[in-house]
């Protein structure tokens, strides 16, 4: 009876696989059983699992046994550090006088599981290097704002050129005063000719030579004059 591999070193959480091969010289041995044992720190060996010749597979606790006569496989699942120790198999043949044959011993060493990467172990972003997702977020915010600002500026320029944009008058702005009108009286001079009444004609001998009469008439006509500023 042989048992291998001789040494296995595995981390916690993994599985260990050992093989036990048997060879029978006596053909009269038709029935047998195969047991697996564990020995820790020189203590007395303990049986951990077993399988009979007519079973193809069996599972006991965390041990999975498979029959591939003349080879048998044992898998130790979900290893823990307390699974470390020495393992071997024993063949029990059933006939007139039971015979027990033990294999050599193999050493299993279970190490601590590798530490998971914590948040502090993550690579830090160097100053001055903005992550790509931050750049994308900033671009998504600034692009719509820039488009809206451009549209507003274009609208103001178009309205300004059309002359539609006018500054509303301020309430405190002074009211433009209209220029006052100054009325100036004028004096015109002229010669008036008086016609004599046809019915009362004066004899020519009564007319005085070179008799001329003058009169000054003031007309109420008003002419607006705007004074110069």
């Amino acid at each position: 009876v042989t048992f291998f591999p001789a040494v296995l070193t595995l981390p916690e959480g993994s599985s260990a696989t050992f093989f036990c091969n048997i060879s029978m010289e006596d053909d009269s041995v038709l029935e047998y059983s195969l047991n697996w044992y564990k020995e820790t720190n020189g203590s007395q060996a303990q049986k951990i699992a077993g399988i009979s010749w007519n079973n193809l597979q069996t599972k006991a606790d965390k041990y999975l046994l498979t029959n591939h006569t003349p080879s048998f496989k044992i898998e130790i699942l979900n290893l823990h550090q307390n699974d470390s120790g020495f393992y071997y198999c024993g063949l029990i043949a059933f006939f007139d006088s039971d015979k027990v044959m033990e294999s050599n011993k193999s050493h299993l060493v279970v190490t601590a599981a590798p530490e998971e990467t914590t948040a502090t172990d993550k690579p830090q972003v160097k100053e001055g290097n903005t992550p790509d997702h931050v750049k994308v977020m900033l671009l998504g915010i600034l692009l719509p704002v820039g488009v809206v600002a451009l549209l507003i500026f274009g609208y103001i320029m178009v309205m300004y050129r059309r002359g539609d944009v006018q500054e509303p008058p301020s309430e405190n702005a002074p009211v433009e005063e209209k220029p006052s009108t100054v009325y100036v009286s004028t004096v015109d001079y002229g010669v008036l000719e008086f016609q004599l009444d046809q019915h009362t004609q004066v004899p020519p001998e009564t007319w005085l030579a070179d008799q001329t009469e003058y009169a000054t008439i003031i007309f109420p006509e008003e002419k607006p004059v705007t004074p110069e500023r």
Side-chain angles (χ1 to χ4, degrees):
V1 181
T2 58
F3 196 74
F4 63 93
V7 179
L8 273 182
T9 302
L10 297 169
E12 285 185 316
S14 59
S15 299
T17 302
F18 289 100
F19 294 91
C20 184
N21 290 348
I22 63 175
S23 176
M24 297 182 185
E25 298 177 356
D26 190 351
D27 294 336
S28 62
V29 179
L30 299 178
E31 298 181 2
Y32 57 89
S33 176
L34 196 64
N35 295 335
W36 274 266
Y37 302 92
K38 175 185 177 184
E39 184 181 299
T40 306
N41 296 329
S43 61
Q44 185 178 0
Q46 296 180 351
K47 177 183 176 182
I48 57 175
I51 187 173
S52 60
W53 61 274
N54 57 350
N55 287 340
L56 296 179
Q57 191 176 68
T58 183
K59 186 175 186 300
D61 193 14
K62 61 186 303 181
Y63 306 102
L64 179 62
L65 312 178
T66 306
N67 184 352
H68 298 293
T69 308
S71 178
F72 293 82
K73 180 175 69 172
I74 178 173
E75 296 178 76
I76 307 173
L77 309 175
N78 191 21
L79 290 175
H80 295 283
Q81 286 187 304
N82 58 7
D83 290 322
S84 298
F86 292 89
Y87 292 83
Y88 63 95
C89 62
L91 175 65
I92 303 175
F94 302 106
F95 50 91
D96 294 340
S97 58
D98 295 344
K99 186 177 180 180
V100 179
M101 294 174 288
E102 294 182 351
S103 69
N104 56 296
K105 297 178 182 179
S106 296
H107 190 197
L108 173 63
V109 179
V110 181
T111 61
E115 296 181 0
E116 296 182 359
T117 303
T118 59
T120 55
D121 297 332
K122 295 182 179 179
Q124 297 180 355
V125 179
K126 295 182 179 179
E127 295 182 359
N129 295 332
T130 306
D132 292 338
H133 68 278
V134 177
K135 294 180 181 179
V136 173
M137 182 176 63
L138 292 177
L139 182 61
I141 295 175
L142 295 179
L143 184 59
V145 173
V147 172
V148 172
L150 185 60
L151 292 176
I152 294 175
F153 178 76
Y155 173 78
I156 293 176
M157 292 299 296
V158 171
M159 296 301 292
Y160 178 77
R161 291 179 179 179
R162 293 176 55 186
D164 294 339
V165 178
Q166 297 180 358
E167 183 178 357
S170 175
E171 296 180 356
N172 299 326
V175 179
E176 183 179 358
E177 296 180 357
K178 296 182 179 180
S180 59
T181 303
V182 179
Y183 296 93
V184 178
S185 300
T186 59
V187 179
D188 291 337
Y189 297 90
V191 178
L192 299 181
E193 295 181 358
F194 296 91
Q195 296 180 355
L196 299 176
D197 189 359
Q198 297 179 357
H199 299 286
T200 57
Q201 296 183 356
V202 179
E205 60 272 11
T206 61
W207 290 0
L208 298 178
D210 297 329
Q211 185 178 357
T212 303
E213 294 182 2
Y214 297 90
T216 300
I217 302 174
I218 298 175
F219 295 91
E221 181 181 2
E222 297 178 353
K223 297 181 180 180
V225 178
T226 302
E228 295 183 358
R229 295 184 179 181

